[in-house]
Amino acid sequence: MALRYFSSPMPTALITGITGQDGSYLTEQLLDQGYTVHGLVRRTSNTVRSRLDPLFHNKDVYNKNLFLHYADLDDTTTIRRILVKTQPDELYHLAGQSHVGASFDIPESTCQFTAMGTLKILEILRDLEKQPRFLHISSSEIFGRPDESPQNEHTPMRPVTPYGVAKTFATQMVQLYRESFGLFACNAICYNHESPRRGESFVTRKITKAAAEISLGLSDEIVLGSLDGRRDWGSAPEYTTAMHLMLQQDAPDDYVLATGQTHSVEEFLDAAFRSVGLDYQDHLQQNPKYMRPAEVTRLVGDPTHAKKQLGWTPATTALDLAKQMTAADVESLKRLAAS
Ligand code: GDP
């Protein structure tokens, strides 16, 4: 069946990394606003699509307003073909190896996908007749160990992790293509953003899942690395809302997306366990396996530019997230047990 991509007068978006946490929220938000959404998925991976399951199984949505295309980030011919075929108005580049800890084990592929993958897309856009507005999801990891706190869009980049180095390359290339080739290209410099859809290897979700399991008697301990790290944790769907706003402005720019507040891993752990009536100290084991060769410090973002220009305000705090995510994990474990 030939799919009709151009039937809608509403804008069309293409999302790389559509199956991830941010991709799934952004897809829902864009579909709600009447967009046609195309997503790139890796053919070779056994990609987990559970975050988009309700949309895939909705006959009124899948292959009507939401389309998936197979393409790896280094497959430039296929990506170009998809861009020409789908003619998106907006391109959200969210894909890449997103785990900072893992980037120490797989630095080469982290750079291949996160750094070179972004450059390859920029190169394709440069040649297109109809250039979509482009958003790259950058990261607070570009600041590494900054001299100033909080960080804003003008803070020098000093990454200390392979992931941070790769994101720095990609972020600067986006700036270069904006300034040198006139692309409408923006960096969303995102501090950690969490949700019940966060991958289970990230510390927040690992904690909330363990709190839920222990509270239901399914487990008795949680094994973590250092509890001292502090993060500026915000809410993922609020950050994807800001990403969309960034592409609706008159001119392209970079924006820090952050709450401006930090909490330690220990505070998050305490809040999650407390929310289900537990004391984490009764269940915690620590293992050097989960400790990093290098840790970022003093990372806290200043979202003033996003607040002023986009009218965006982050509303959910890290401690709200600890409670919400634990409650969501309790619910999903109960549903699983009942099914
Ligand atoms: P990111 O490193 O900021 O991308 O986010 P993570 O959620 O992976 O880690 C946040 C903080 O939690 C870091 O300071 C980690 O060192 C710390 N941490 C402590 N134990 C763990 C663990 O078991 N897994 C992970 N992922 N992080 C841990």
Side-chain angles (χ1 to χ4, degrees):
M1 180 181 77
L3 298 172
R4 288 171 56 80
Y5 295 145
F6 305 114
S7 54
S8 167
M10 291 299 291
T12 295
L14 178 67
I15 302 177
T16 75
I18 192 168
T19 56
Q21 169 186 256
D22 296 356
S24 67
Y25 283 117
L26 183 61
T27 300
E28 290 169 4
Q29 291 166 352
L30 295 177
L31 288 172
D32 276 352
Q33 293 180 46
Y35 276 63
T36 297
V37 177
H38 296 268
L40 292 193
V41 291
R42 276 175 292 167
R43 183 177 282 288
T44 47
S45 72
N46 54 347
T47 312
V48 178
R49 303 222 185 124
S50 51
R51 295 179 178 104
L52 286 176
D53 264 353
L55 296 174
F56 288 144
H57 295 130
N58 184 337
K59 286 198 190 76
D60 294 330
V61 174
Y62 191 48
N63 278 343
K64 298 226 164 50
N65 309 90
L66 171 65
F67 304 89
L68 288 189
H69 308 265
Y70 287 110
D72 287 350
L73 275 187
D74 55 358
D75 184 352
T76 45
T77 16
T78 306
I79 294 179
R80 180 179 287 111
R81 188 179 310 121
I82 293 167
L83 274 162
V84 168
K85 198 161 78 173
T86 60
Q87 302 267 314
D89 302 288
E90 297 169 13
L91 169 50
Y92 296 88
H93 178 40
L94 311 181
Q97 192 296 101
S98 69
H99 202 277
V100 176
S103 79
F104 284 97
D105 299 324
I106 49 167
E108 242 184 272
S109 62
T110 300
C111 289
Q112 188 183 337
F113 291 111
T114 302
M116 288 307 291
T118 304
L119 175 58
K120 285 175 182 189
I121 293 180
L122 288 166
E123 271 293 276
I124 297 171
L125 295 186
R126 210 177 135 189
D127 295 335
L128 285 186
E129 220 164 277
K130 179 188 165 190
Q131 291 175 336
R133 293 184 167 201
F134 178 75
L135 180 131
H136 166 244
I137 183 168
S138 178
S139 161
S140 54
E141 287 283 321
I142 63 175
F143 298 127
R145 296 210 186 96
D147 288 333
E148 60 188 29
S149 233
Q151 299 82 45
N152 61 36
E153 295 76 11
H154 307 291
T155 301
M157 301 180 200
R158 292 178 54 193
V160 295
T161 61
Y163 174 79
V165 171
K167 277 289 180 196
T168 298
F169 175 94
T171 304
Q172 293 182 327
M173 278 297 177
V174 169
Q175 293 170 342
L176 189 149
Y177 275 65
R178 177 169 73 219
E179 283 151 24
S180 303
F181 302 120
L183 287 190
F184 193 111
C186 306
N187 286 301
I189 306 171
C190 295
Y191 284 64
N192 296 48
H193 45 291
E194 318 295 309
S195 74
R197 299 183 194 172
R198 188 59 147 149
E200 290 173 19
S201 62
F202 291 90
V203 81
T204 51
R205 185 72 199 292
K206 187 172 168 183
I207 288 171
T208 62
K209 188 145 186 251
E213 284 173 349
I214 296 169
S215 76
L216 295 173
L218 301 171
S219 155
D220 194 42
E221 67 168 27
I222 175 165
V223 186
L224 293 172
S226 166
L227 304 187
D228 299 334
R230 298 187 73 83
R231 290 290 186 279
D232 179 336
W233 278 300
S235 155
E238 291 177 7
Y239 286 36
T240 53
T241 298
M243 290 176 207
H244 175 252
L245 288 172
M246 286 168 60
L247 293 194
Q248 314 314 309
Q249 304 304 304
D250 291 338
D253 206 349
D254 298 338
Y255 295 87
V256 161
L257 302 181
T259 69
Q261 307 290 326
T262 64
H263 292 273
S264 67
V265 173
E266 185 167 13
E267 286 166 350
F268 191 95
L269 177 65
D270 184 52
F273 274 64
R274 249 177 223 281
S275 74
V276 281
L278 296 170
D279 181 344
Y280 77 84
Q281 294 188 10
D282 297 336
H283 304 279
L284 175 68
Q285 299 286 330
Q286 284 183 283
N287 188 326
K289 183 170 105 179
Y290 296 110
M291 294 184 187
R292 306 266 169 91
E295 275 279 2
V296 293
T297 52
R298 303 182 73 214
L299 279 192
V300 53
D302 173 2
T304 304
H305 181 44
K307 282 184 178 171
K308 279 196 183 143
Q309 182 64 30
L310 308 177
W312 175 79
T313 310
T316 309
T317 69
L319 302 184
D320 295 336
L321 281 164
K323 285 184 215 143
Q324 287 172 9
M325 290 168 64
T326 306
D329 274 321
V330 168
E331 277 317 301
S332 80
L333 285 170
K334 281 187 181 161
R335 264 199 312 274
L336 205 66
S339 66

